[in-house]
Amino acid sequence: MIQDKVRLRRYSDRAKTLLLDQQQAISHLQSAEPQALAMLSNPDFNIFYDASALIVVCCKAKGPFVEADCWLAAENLMLAATAEGLGTCCIGFAVGILNMPDVKAELGIPEGGAAVAPIIVGFPREIASSGSRKPPVVLRWVP
């Protein structure tokens, strides 16, 4: 868990630079994600939305179901936080920077491990409305 807003801002700025550099290397993303590109190009945009806490669900080592386990843990954390009146959001933009060797060392993530699910936690400014759900698409029902 990180509760240092200055550190989070520093990570945000580094993540934006990293993502923009990657975007330039993969030019087709510009047309696919113009809104994301605009946000990342804005010097005032903080990928952590100025939240005061970031929880990083990590793995100690790679394995066949490790990432799935991390995502299940992240979902449970988010549901528990919501039940306590807190707001959460997974921040995919942060994964690259959190897995840089120097950042992993700062956070105590083992060399063979990885940051999998960065989640901001805080008090929401407003209660989010429940969105509409699309019906599931069943590709095939095998009797």
Side-chain angles (χ1 to χ4, degrees), residues 9-28:
R9 185 59 191 203
R10 189 174 77 240
Y11 289 169
S12 173
D13 291 342
R14 283 185 64 189
K16 291 189 303 185
T17 299
L18 178 67
L19 290 161
L20 287 170
D21 288 348
Q22 288 173 347
Q23 187 278 329
Q24 289 174 357
I26 307 168
S27 61
H28 69 275

Side-chain angles (χ1 to χ4, degrees), residues 9-73:
R9 185 59 191 203
R10 189 174 77 240
Y11 289 169
S12 173
D13 291 342
R14 283 185 64 189
K16 291 189 303 185
T17 299
L18 178 67
L19 290 161
L20 287 170
D21 288 348
Q22 288 173 347
Q23 187 278 329
Q24 289 174 357
I26 307 168
S27 61
H28 69 275
L29 287 181
Q30 186 168 6
S31 61
E33 298 291 339
Q35 183 180 6
L37 183 59
M39 287 188 318
L40 294 172
S41 299
N42 180 347
D44 296 326
F45 175 67
N46 182 331
I47 67 167
F48 303 114
Y49 298 94
D50 298 316
S52 59
L54 174 70
I55 297 173
V56 184
V57 178
C58 303
C59 63
K60 291 182 183 179
K62 305 283 176 135
F65 302 106
V66 171
E67 284 198 21
D69 288 340
C70 288
W71 283 110
L72 291 169

Side-chain angles (χ1 to χ4, degrees), residues 35-141:
Q35 183 180 6
L37 183 59
M39 287 188 318
L40 294 172
S41 299
N42 180 347
D44 296 326
F45 175 67
N46 182 331
I47 67 167
F48 303 114
Y49 298 94
D50 298 316
S52 59
L54 174 70
I55 297 173
V56 184
V57 178
C58 303
C59 63
K60 291 182 183 179
K62 305 283 176 135
F65 302 106
V66 171
E67 284 198 21
D69 288 340
C70 288
W71 283 110
L72 291 169
E75 179 183 38
N76 286 333
L77 182 144
M78 294 173 81
L79 290 169
T82 300
E84 294 296 322
L86 297 169
T88 63
C89 183
C90 263
I91 307 295
F93 282 155
V95 173
I97 193 67
L98 294 173
N99 282 303
M100 298 294 288
D102 62 316
V103 175
K104 284 174 63 172
E106 283 180 23
L107 300 178
I109 299 170
E111 191 174 316
V116 177
I119 302 166
I120 54 174
V121 180
F123 295 99
R125 291 186 187 128
E126 59 188 50
I127 306 248
S129 63
S130 59
S132 61
R133 301 258 180 205
K134 295 178 183 177
V137 176
V138 178
L139 299 177
R140 183 172 184 188
W141 189 280

